[in-house]
Amino acid sequence: KALLPSESEVKIVALPEIKTSSGFVNPKNMTYTWKKDYTNVANAGGYAKNSYTFTTDYLDDSSNISVIASTIDQNYSTEANINTTSTQPQVSLYKKDPSLGTIWENALTNPYIITSSETLLAAPYFMSPKEIRRPDLTFSWFINDIAVSISSGFQKNLLPLKLPEGSSGVSKLKVQVDNTDSLSKSATREIKVQF
């Protein structure tokens, strides 16, 4: 299953199976009562309303969603519940090879050793929106705690690294991804780069 980001829209669907003497009851011919954290959600329930959509709260790590599905004559019913748990946003770094593209199989380890010029890619996870080109997501890059500006020819989630000839050492590389649409959605990844 996909992990659930904080402040994201979640749709819960009930698939009840009620069997009467005349066979299985069609789920569209039932009434539904939904609860979120043990409190009735009045506008979510009713006839044929077998789904419930809500937005997770960044202050709560989890929510309990329950539903009761009943036949119209109220002679038969079944119920179920599920706990939803939010996942904190994360960001991973990958190498972007000029001929092979992004090497998604291996996230960069810490420390990461580079021997020539490379381009690194930052990929945010569990953070909306999924489309990184949207202006809601900002990428801030730092080398040894000094902000690095990316030229306009590069995507904002890419960092080109060029090694000075004959140099060696260790630098601290950090990327911070923020969602300007939500104060609670940010992720940071920091590694040491050896060259």
Side-chain angles (χ1 to χ4, degrees):
K1 295 180 182 179
L3 297 179
L4 181 63
S6 175
E7 292 185 275
S8 61
E9 192 175 85
V10 182
K11 183 177 184 179
I12 308 291
V13 179
L15 301 171
E17 288 186 5
I18 295 178
K19 188 174 184 181
T20 65
S21 56
S22 57
F24 285 101
V25 179
N26 186 334
K28 295 186 186 246
N29 295 331
M30 296 185 195
T31 60
Y32 296 85
T33 304
W34 291 94
K35 290 183 181 179
K36 181 177 185 282
D37 295 325
Y38 312 102
T39 302
N40 280 330
V41 185
N43 60 346
Y47 180 74
K49 292 189 175 181
N50 71 323
S51 66
Y52 169 54
T53 302
F54 69 100
T55 301
T56 59
D57 189 337
Y58 75 93
L59 295 175
D60 294 326
D61 289 339
S62 64
S63 295
N64 180 274
I65 308 298
S66 61
V67 62
I68 299 173
S70 307
T71 56
I72 296 172
D73 58 13
Q74 301 293 310
N75 288 335
Y76 301 92
S77 66
T78 184
E79 60 184 290
N81 70 74
I82 187 171
N83 288 313
T84 62
T85 304
S86 298
T87 301
Q88 293 301 314
Q90 299 174 18
V91 61
S92 293
L93 294 169
Y94 300 91
K95 176 181 176 180
K96 184 164 185 176
D97 187 272
S99 55
L100 299 174
T102 305
I103 312 297
W104 294 108
E105 298 83 26
N106 298 312
L108 301 188
T109 57
N110 188 16
Y112 178 65
I113 301 170
I114 61 173
T115 56
S116 62
S117 298
E118 293 185 8
T119 300
L120 305 184
L121 178 140
Y125 294 100
F126 322 122
M127 183 182 290
S128 300
K130 291 182 179 180
E131 176 55 64
I132 63 167
R133 289 177 286 195
R134 293 240 338 241
D136 299 351
L137 288 184
T138 62
F139 290 76
S140 303
W141 294 91
F142 303 88
I143 295 178
N144 294 328
D145 297 321
I146 299 172
V148 176
S149 60
I150 307 300
S151 69
S152 58
F154 279 86
Q155 293 178 2
K156 58 187 177 179
N157 66 323
L158 297 177
L159 176 69
L161 295 176
K162 186 173 183 179
L163 290 180
E165 196 170 316
S167 64
S168 63
V170 178
S171 292
K172 182 171 69 172
L173 173 68
K174 181 171 87 169
V175 61
Q176 180 173 324
V177 184
D178 295 296
N179 186 337
T180 57
D181 193 39
S182 168
L183 295 175
S184 69
K185 293 184 182 177
S186 67
T188 302
R189 176 76 170 121
E190 186 176 298
I191 63 171
K192 289 182 179 176
V193 176
Q194 295 181 353
F195 54 92

